[in-house]
Structures are given as C-alpha cells and as structure tokens.
Amino acid sequence: MLEEAGEVLENMLKASCLPLGFIVFLPAVLLLVAPPLPAADAAHEFTVYRMQQYDLQGQPYGTRNAVLNTEARTIDADVLSRRCVLMRLLDFSYERYQRALRQSAGAVVIILPRAMAAVPQDVIRQFMEIEPEMLAMETIVPVYFAVEDDALLSIYEQTQAASASQGSASAAEGFGRSCGHTTVPERHPPSSPSDDTSHGHHDWVLLHTATANGFQMVTSGVQSKAVSDWLITSVEGRLTGLGGEDLPTIVIVAHYDAFGVAPWLSHGADSNGSGISVLLELTRLFSRLYTYKRTHAAYNLLFFASGGGKFNYQGTKRWLEDNLDHTDSSLLQDNVAFVLCLDTLGRGDSLHLHVSKPPREGTLQHSFLRELETVGAPPEARLGHGIFAHPGASGEPQVAAHQFPEVRFSMVHKKINLAEDILAWEHERFAIRRLPAFTLSHLESHRDGQRSSIMDVRSRVDSKTLTRNTRLIAEALTRVIYNLTEKGTPPDMPVFTEQMQIQQEQLDSVMDWLTTQPRAAQLVGKDGPLLSTLERYLSHYLKEVRPHHVKADKRDPEFVFYDQLKQVMNAYRVKPAIFDLLLAVCIGAYLGMAYTAVQVDISSSFSTKLFH
C-alpha cells in the first residue's frame, strides 16, 4: 500500500495535479511563511504586590489567598466568576470591586499608573477613602497591585476589548459554555441592510469567539503562610538634663512605619515620614543646645522612634510595659512632664493637638498648649535677635518667629474608646498608663484616609510646610523647657536663628531617604538598612541609643504577619477552549479531503493501468 501511495505521489507530481498538490503542500507552505509570534507577545512577566494579610487581636484582615492561575477579564465583562479581573486605578471604584467579589472572581489585579504624582487629586482622595473599606473585611479572593508598563497596558486593552464584546447573550456564548469555554467574546460586525444577516452575524460571532486571544494570569508563588518569630523594632535615645536626679522628662515619639492596602507600596510620606523627620531634626537641634552649659536645660529629653505604629502601636505598648512593669530604673517611672507624639505634619495649614484629657492649668502640658497657641497665632512681625543664636554668631536682627499667620491651631478632645480594637492615636497608649500625652497632627480626625494609604507618596509632603511645622514645634518646646515666657521673653522673638535654625535641606534629605523604600512593619527587619541607619543617626546626637524588640506571643499572638506579599505574575497569551474544537474540526476536514483526493487519484491510477 505504501508503495502504491508513493507511486501515486510521484505520478501526481509528474502530472502536476494541482488540486491534490494544493491540499498536500498548502499547510507546510503556510507554516513556513507565517511569521512566528514574538516571545514578548506570547508571554509577559511583571511584578505584583499583594494586598495586606495580617491578624490583629485575633481578627483576620486583608486577602487570605496568594495563588492565581486563571484567565483575565476586565470589570466590563458580564461573567467574572473564576476570572482574574483587571482594573485600572482611573476606572476603579468600591462598587466595581464589590461586584467582582460578589461574582466570585478568581482574583483582582489593580493596575497603578507609573507616576503617582500625575494622578488627579479626586482619584487619589477617592482611593484613600476606599482603602480602609477594602481592608475592613476578610477577603478570600487574591488581590494584587501592579505598576503599569507598555506590555501590561497592551494586555489590559486587549482584554478590555474582548470583555466589552460580551454584552449580549448570544447562541455562541451558550455554545461556548457547553464546551467548557472560558471566554466568549462577541464583537458586532458592520450592520447590513438585509434582514437575513442574523445567521451570518451569529456565525461571525462564533468565529470571533473561537479565534479571539486571551491571557492566562499565573503567579509564581505558593500559598501564603504565617511568618513566625517576626520582630517589631523600635529605637530610643536620650539627652540627660543638667541638675539633680529627679528631673522632669519630656518624651518625644513618632512611629516610623507606613501602612497601605499593599505593604510593598506603603511608603508613608506624610504618615509618618513627616513625623519621624521632625523627630530627627529635633534631636539635632536639642543635642546642640545640650552641648553648651549655658543652654543645657534641666529636663531629660527621651526620644522614641516606635515600630508597629500602624498595628495598634505594638512597639509603644511593649516599650511601656517593659519600662513601667519590668524594671525599677526608667525615665518613664520618674517625673514625666508630658509625651508629645508626632504624626502627619507635612501638609496643610492646620495643626491639631489631639488629647484624651484636656490638660489642667498650671501643668507643663498646659504650658506647651499655650505656647503652641501663641507661636501659631497671627502675630505682628517685628525685628529681633535670636534667643539661641549659635555662639559666635553675629546676632543680626531676624524676622520675628511669628511668621505663621496662616496656621490654624486647635485642640481636639477625644476620649479613649476601650471597646475599639484599634486605638485612634499613639498618645492613647501613654494615656492608658496614666502618662500625660497628646498627638500633634495636621489631621483633625484619626479616621482620615491619608494616614493609611499607598497614595501617600513623597510628592504629597510640602517641604516648606514641613519646615514651618518643625520650627513651630521646636520653638514651642524650647519656650517650655527654658521657661522663656515666664522670663519675659517676647512671644514674637525668634528662638532659632543663624546656624541653629531649622534646615529644610536636612528635612528633605531625610524625607527622600524614608520614601525611597516601603516601610510596612512586615518588611522592616531588625537588621535591615532602615533601622541600622536610623539607629546610627540617633547615635550621632543622643546618648544611650538602643533598639527595643517586640515579638508576638506564641500562644495568644496580638499580631500575625504573612508572607508572599511580592510575587512575579506571568500573562500567557492563550486561545479559548472552543478554538481547540474548531481546530480539530478543521484538521479532520483537511484529512478527510486529503484522504478522499488520494483515494480518487488511486482509483484513477488503477483504471489507467487497466486500460493500458
């Protein structure tokens, strides 16, 4: 039989049998001349950042899954079940996000712009309001964030075109589902004046359905698991006052960690990069004042850069327990004048002093409140000499310290709600232990979305505002520590001038350093560059600088972190399942045609031989 087939093929070539030759050689010719699909078009690899996953006080928050292997759709598609839903930030809304969850989407990927600073402010504000709601519930669906590039944007646009064509419930869609088809895009062809085009339309839809391109989204990681023995690290240092042993202590606190819906995207410029920047600048200023005997005050200054601030101030909580319950020698056990917590100080023209209990008149806490009101009040500027001009400075007249007529200052009184799982402000940790404390912030409410958003990037901190607020705080503190008001020093006289003035370049440098790296508590390791640099900076200006570590209790952990927060996602270009069926039909038809042609040619060949 093989010999006969070979003879037939030879006769066919000799006789130039065009139909049979066309059938036999056309597939090979098409395979040879068809351009290969570029690798970049066939697959694309990009980094994705998973939504928060943590437990706090036994309550789970964030997404519970990390594994993804499903086909992509945009939110415009009718069917989202078991699909990876792609959404751009500009098109994102909480209602759309909830729709994807209600339809049991396989995953959600939110695509962020490359330049956050260029995002319209109304979009930023809207997303800041949504972030807490996204984290308020436990989500089974894996939620990822990705920064767009040209290839990812192309994938989104192609997926959007396919998803948008699924609006009508066509026969092709039902056929696709019955065949186990995962996507059934429908694109309407140009209208025809004839009423008999409906069958052609459905045929066109079926063909488009079978040949449409799709993308299979696959993550490289495994299912997330709890991170054991993770340490939250804080750093403390002090400046010892001049005088007796029982000197009053002023504690200055700021948490360094950031928080947002995705840990790897949480840079926390204003919250709380601005607070830690002010704290570091205050260490520089007061260390110089405490260097000279004539300006060495009779107050101990205790600086504390706390960790875990965004997780109910775990670092501060354990630090207080260790200093108040587990030791007999601590500045916190002695005469604490007040605790000043710094939080979100890089924007706006308002400053709010948040207190759990209004300070009593005659206390140092009340004096600091009065100084803030005085320094921040609209003054009549005049020329004067600096109180603490650097020794050797010329002492030329400077513009008065009251250069802040635009600042609106107020005190916000809010009682501690012990029924809440999460405290509102850091000072409440100290107030619970009966230490006089307050928080200074430009935000009026602790519920403001600016405190916990991935949109809190470097561009949201105004350098001049941060410098102004730092100067205002430094001058108010100095007037309290050195009792300048009681000594008759005019309230409009500048405190820091010449070489002792606040350095905007220094603040900018610290802010740039803090915001170049994500500072989520799950990512800041005890031996990492952030804490080592912070400790080294404080050691340059303070004494007895040392870290303080917090580890969750194994039996009843107050906090639990999870891994797999950053992964690689691959988008593979795929055809729908119905394409395999169509391809099988075409191959079968081709083989049938080829077989029939061969059989006809064999029969004609035998007939020719018989007649000859």
Side-chain angles (χ1 to χ4, degrees):
M1 187 67 178
L2 292 176
E3 294 178 359
E4 293 176 354
E7 184 179 352
V8 170
L9 181 60
E10 183 179 355
N11 293 334
M12 178 192 67
L13 293 175
K14 290 180 180 180
S16 298
C17 184
L18 180 59
L20 185 58
F22 180 80
I23 293 173
V24 172
F25 292 109
L26 179 61
V29 173
L30 291 177
L31 289 175
L32 290 175
V33 300
L37 189 65
D41 292 339
H44 177 58
E45 181 181 283
F46 54 98
T47 303
V48 290
Y49 309 96
R50 195 163 67 95
M51 180 196 275
Q52 291 271 7
Q53 181 183 3
Y54 63 92
D55 300 339
L56 190 61
Q57 311 290 350
Q59 179 71 27
Y61 293 91
T63 180
R64 298 283 106 180
N65 276 318
V67 178
L68 167 61
N69 187 352
T70 185
E71 194 171 357
R73 282 290 174 267
T74 63
I75 195 64
D76 301 317
D78 286 342
V79 180
L80 301 178
S81 176
R82 302 177 64 185
R83 309 293 198 273
C84 175
V85 181
L86 304 181
M87 282 188 280
R88 296 182 66 188
L89 179 65
L90 296 178
D91 305 321
F92 180 84
S93 69
Y94 189 65
E95 291 73 20
R96 290 186 164 193
Y97 175 72
Q98 283 294 312
R99 175 174 173 257
L101 298 185
R102 285 195 303 269
Q103 292 198 21
S104 301
V108 175
V109 176
I110 301 171
I111 303 174
L112 304 174
R114 275 172 282 200
M116 283 290 192
V119 179
Q121 289 300 310
D122 58 333
V123 175
I124 290 179
R125 285 193 297 269
Q126 179 188 25
F127 191 78
M128 282 183 169
E129 295 173 358
I130 293 174
E131 282 186 76
E133 298 183 44
M134 294 175 67
L135 291 174
M137 69 181 85
E138 180 184 11
T139 305
I140 303 300
V141 175
V143 181
Y144 285 97
F145 293 82
V147 179
E148 71 177 17
D149 56 23
D150 293 338
L152 183 56
L153 190 59
S154 175
I155 290 172
Y156 175 81
E157 291 172 349
Q158 294 180 60
T159 306
Q160 185 181 41
S163 300
S165 65
Q166 288 188 329
S168 62
S170 63
E173 184 175 358
F175 177 65
R177 287 201 189 104
S178 66
C179 297
H181 172 39
T182 56
T183 84
V184 189
E186 175 186 344
R187 193 186 302 274
H188 296 284
S191 61
S192 171
S194 174
D195 294 335
D196 298 330
T197 59
S198 60
H199 292 292
H201 168 74
H202 288 302
D203 292 341
W204 189 93
V205 170
L206 181 60
L207 178 62
H208 177 77
T209 297
T211 58
N213 287 318
F215 291 94
Q216 191 79 9
M217 315 300 283
V218 182
T219 52
S220 59
V222 297
Q223 183 56 37
S224 61
K225 61 181 183 299
V227 179
S228 59
D229 299 330
W230 184 261
L231 294 178
I232 290 178
T233 304
S234 306
V235 184
E236 68 170 289
R238 66 186 65 188
L239 292 172
T240 305
L242 181 66
E245 296 181 358
D246 190 25
L247 296 177
T249 298
I250 295 176
V251 186
I252 302 174
V253 181
H255 65 272
Y256 63 78
D257 57 309
F259 187 84
V261 69
W264 275 94
L265 299 174
S266 303
H267 294 85
D270 193 15
S271 178
N272 192 33
S274 63
I276 203 71
S277 297
V278 174
L279 181 142
L280 295 179
E281 181 68 1
L282 292 177
T283 63
R284 184 187 69 84
L285 293 173
F286 282 99
S287 69
R288 300 190 69 176
L289 290 176
Y290 275 48
T291 299
Y292 305 99
K293 187 174 182 179
R294 73 182 186 91
T295 55
H296 197 156
Y299 282 88
N300 297 317
L301 299 183
L302 183 58
F303 296 87
F304 185 58
S306 63
K310 301 299 186 179
F311 291 91
N312 213 14
Y313 310 104
Q314 294 296 326
T316 301
K317 179 177 181 292
R318 194 67 60 86
W319 184 62
L320 286 171
E321 291 174 354
D322 291 347
N323 280 274
L324 297 178
D325 302 334
H326 304 146
T327 184
D328 295 330
S329 58
S330 170
L331 291 180
L332 295 179
Q333 289 181 333
D334 301 329
N335 183 12
V336 175
F338 61 81
V339 180
L340 172 63
C341 300
L342 307 172
D343 195 328
T344 51
L345 295 164
R347 288 172 61 85
D349 292 327
S350 299
L351 280 178
H352 305 281
L353 193 70
H354 297 270
V355 299
S356 302
K357 183 179 180 181
R360 297 194 312 271
E361 190 171 353
T363 63
L364 203 67
Q365 190 181 12
H366 184 267
S367 298
F368 180 70
L369 171 62
R370 292 290 301 274
E371 294 295 347
L372 283 175
E373 292 174 341
T374 302
V375 174
E380 293 182 3
R382 71 174 182 85
L383 296 179
H385 294 275
I387 301 297
F388 291 126
H390 187 268
S394 61
E396 295 179 357
Q398 299 287 329
V399 178
H402 286 184
Q403 297 176 358
F404 319 116
E406 73 280 7
V407 177
R408 299 182 299 275
F409 178 80
S410 68
M411 183 182 72
V412 180
H413 175 213
K414 176 191 171 298
K415 293 183 178 180
I416 301 175
N417 187 357
L418 296 178
E420 293 284 345
D421 292 333
I422 300 176
L423 296 178
W425 298 97
E426 191 161 13
H427 74 267
E428 295 183 354
R429 279 289 176 207
F430 295 89
I432 290 174
R433 300 305 300 261
R434 300 188 180 279
L435 295 175
F438 32 62
T439 297
L440 192 62
S441 170
H442 72 80
L443 300 177
E444 189 171 4
S445 171
H446 67 281
R447 300 186 186 278
D448 197 301
Q450 300 179 57
R451 298 186 67 205
S452 54
S453 175
I454 60 174
M455 298 295 157
D456 187 10
V457 295
R458 177 66 178 91
S459 58
R460 289 188 59 80
V461 172
D462 182 75
S463 297
K464 292 183 178 179
T465 300
L466 182 61
T467 303
R468 178 202 66 197
N469 289 341
T470 304
R471 183 178 178 184
L472 192 154
I473 295 168
E475 291 182 351
L477 273 174
T478 305
R479 290 181 173 276
V480 169
I481 291 173
Y482 295 94
N483 200 21
L484 297 183
T485 300
E486 295 298 326
K487 293 178 179 179
T489 303
D492 58 353
M493 182 171 288
V495 175
F496 293 100
T497 60
E498 297 295 335
Q499 298 181 32
M500 285 295 295
Q501 62 185 347
I502 281 76
Q503 297 180 359
Q504 180 173 326
E505 297 79 7
Q506 178 78 7
L507 288 168
D508 286 342
S509 177
V510 173
M511 280 299 308
D512 292 340
W513 164 63
L514 288 171
T515 54
T516 54
Q517 53 198 315
R519 301 194 318 280
Q522 306 98 310
L523 306 178
V524 182
K526 66 181 183 67
D527 298 321
L530 175 67
L531 286 172
S532 60
T533 304
L534 183 61
E535 188 173 349
R536 188 164 55 251
Y537 186 100
L538 292 175
S539 298
H540 185 70
Y541 297 109
L542 305 178
K543 305 296 183 182
E544 300 183 43
V545 175
R546 59 176 178 265
H548 186 273
H549 304 295
V550 177
K551 184 166 64 175
D553 185 79
K554 291 186 178 181
R555 292 175 297 178
D556 186 20
E558 292 183 320
F559 61 91
V560 179
F561 297 145
Y562 293 81
D563 60 6
Q564 301 298 321
L565 298 174
K566 179 181 179 182
Q567 296 189 20
V568 174
M569 181 175 291
N570 291 279
Y572 298 104
R573 186 185 295 272
V574 295
K575 291 290 185 182
I578 196 174
F579 175 79
D580 297 335
L581 178 62
L582 180 62
L583 183 62
V585 171
C586 293
I587 293 174
Y590 163 74
L591 293 177
M593 292 170 59
Y595 178 78
T596 302
V598 170
Q599 290 297 322
V600 170
D601 196 74
I602 290 175
S603 299
S604 62
S605 176
F606 276 114
S607 299
T608 302
K609 285 184 177 182
L610 287 175
F611 283 113
H612 286 287

